[in-house]
Amino acid sequence: MSLLLLGALLAAAPAPAADIAVGRWKTETKNGIVEIQRCGPSICGRLVSSDLLRQRPDLKDANNQNAAQRGRPLKGLMLISGFTVDGDAWAGGQIYNPDDGKTYKAKVTPVDANTLKVRGCVFVPLCKTQTWTRVR
């Protein structure tokens, strides 16, 4: 009975990467703030704020490659999604870049409690990595 209980507790425990990645993060560009949370077994992140959104809160997703989505607000837009745990990182997900309206394959790697490495790739090795810092 105790082994069964221990197994259930271990299975229900969140992955260490999830614990570290959840929160608000400042991006390297335009002072963006992305809020990452658990989305089922994955993580997802929405745009909360940026320099441009502070000036013009009604900004739309004007650069989206899909013309039907160009009217949606940038504030609250889902930027990262679809990840699975890969050791201490989140891999196999995607990141949306509102600047060019494109979605890229992505990986989110916690460096420590206050730092994430976020890598987006057209295809490997054509990748760009940003360092995001926790906002308190």
Side-chain angles (χ1 to χ4, degrees):
M1 179 70 168
S2 62
L3 286 178
L4 183 61
L5 181 59
L6 179 61
L9 287 173
L10 289 174
D19 292 342
I20 293 173
V22 170
R24 286 186 174 213
W25 299 90
K26 182 178 177 185
T27 69
E28 284 185 9
T29 55
K30 301 179 183 174
N31 291 313
I33 303 294
V34 176
E35 184 170 18
I36 296 177
Q37 58 190 343
R38 288 297 298 260
C39 295
S42 184
I43 57 170
C44 59
R46 294 186 182 277
L47 181 61
V48 175
S49 182
S50 71
D51 287 342
L52 290 173
L53 281 173
R54 282 185 280 285
Q55 295 170 11
R56 295 179 33 216
D58 61 338
L59 277 175
K60 305 294 182 206
D61 188 16
N63 297 323
N64 196 301
Q65 291 191 335
N66 180 344
Q69 294 184 341
R70 291 181 186 157
R72 65 186 183 167
L74 277 182
K75 187 172 184 171
L77 188 66
M78 185 74 66
L79 297 182
I80 64 171
S81 62
F83 294 88
T84 57
V85 174
D86 182 14
D88 284 338
W90 289 95
Q94 58 188 19
I95 186 164
Y96 176 71
N97 180 357
D99 289 339
D100 65 11
K102 296 180 182 176
T103 301
Y104 300 93
K105 294 179 182 178
K107 183 174 184 177
V108 175
T109 306
V111 175
D112 58 39
N114 295 308
T115 312
L116 292 179
K117 293 289 185 183
V118 180
R119 184 178 74 169
C121 301
V122 175
F123 58 85
V124 176
L126 292 177
C127 301
K128 181 177 179 182
T129 301
Q130 284 193 1
T131 301
W132 292 6
T133 54
R134 185 177 299 278
V135 176
R136 301 245 179 226

